[in-house]
Amino acid sequence: MRGSVCVQDRGADAPYSGLPHATCHELRHTCFTRLRESGMALEAIQAQADHASIESTRISLHLANDWLIGEYSKAMAILDGIGDDENDVK
């Protein structure tokens, strides 16, 4: 997103957007957070954000607790299912 343009003057259009105050930086964080919550790989978001460090990407995301709990629950369900089938590799 380097070099992107964001209009800072919200003027008369601000009430129509539903966003009384949102900076380009806030919108950037929101966009990347939503992409991650939609399933985009962290490494892909890192590339899109042009971050040198995956840690920078991780810090910039503001993931909801409900989403984190859901991801944990999905992973645990997969792990709980491993070994249930006699054909599973042990």
Side-chain angles (χ1 to χ4, degrees), residues 18-76:
L19 301 171
H21 173 72
T23 65
C24 292
H25 193 78
E26 290 167 335
L27 293 173
R28 176 181 163 95
H29 281 253
T30 300
C31 176
F32 292 139
T33 299
R34 297 295 304 205
L35 288 171
R36 182 64 190 118
E37 289 177 339
S38 296
M40 188 175 197
L42 193 57
E43 295 82 2
I45 297 169
Q46 176 188 6
Q48 183 70 34
D50 199 25
H51 288 160
S53 164
I54 197 80
E55 186 64 13
S56 296
T57 306
R58 190 192 64 75
I59 289 169
S60 73
L61 300 178
H62 305 284
L63 302 170
N65 285 336
D66 289 346
W67 181 82
L68 293 169
I69 291 168
E71 289 298 295
Y72 177 81
S73 296
K74 285 192 280 186
M76 290 308 297

